[in-house]
Amino acid sequence: MHDPSRTSGGKVTFAPGARSAWHTHPLGQTLIVTDGTGWIQQWGGPIEEIRKGDVIWIPPGVKHWHGATPNTAMTHIAIQEQLNGKAVEWMEKVTDDQYRK
């Protein structure tokens, strides 16, 4: 990130079976899937498949996780903005039972 911008981004590759922990973003997040197949889940919702070319918007404050499917790697570009110097709040790990549903 470069002042005065509050936007940051990064390219993230998840190996098969890898996923983020549950987390939120104060101003939301945009994911652009650039390769592979992955999953995303918002708290209380179903796991949804995401594929190369998909653009996903996660609204501000929505608890969610994202990562690869059990058998396929997935790469995405993640874009988020900081609010009061913070772009993400990390929470508990996604359990194997949550991941398999």
Side-chain angles (χ1 to χ4, degrees):
M1 189 174 86
H2 301 282
D3 287 336
S5 174
R6 53 182 197 176
T7 302
S8 64
K11 181 179 175 184
V12 181
T13 299
F14 293 89
R19 66 269 194 185
S20 70
W22 289 100
H23 60 286
T24 63
H25 301 278
L27 296 175
Q29 182 181 51
T30 299
L31 301 176
I32 303 166
V33 182
T34 60
D35 198 30
T37 303
W39 287 343
I40 185 167
Q41 183 180 26
Q42 295 183 16
W43 187 256
I47 293 174
E48 299 179 47
E49 187 171 278
I50 56 177
R51 297 181 167 276
K52 182 178 180 176
D54 288 348
V55 177
I56 299 95
W57 165 246
I58 301 101
V62 173
K63 186 175 177 178
H64 68 285
W65 67 268
H66 34 95
T69 64
N71 300 312
T72 308
M74 187 270 295
T75 301
H76 65 48
I77 296 170
I79 303 165
Q80 53 280 319
E81 291 183 273
Q82 291 187 12
L83 180 63
N84 299 322
K86 191 170 187 177
V88 63
E89 181 177 339
W90 292 107
M91 300 171 176
E92 71 273 18
K93 291 183 178 183
V94 175
T95 66
D96 288 342
D97 285 343
Q98 290 171 325
Y99 178 74
R100 289 189 194 110
K101 290 187 177 182

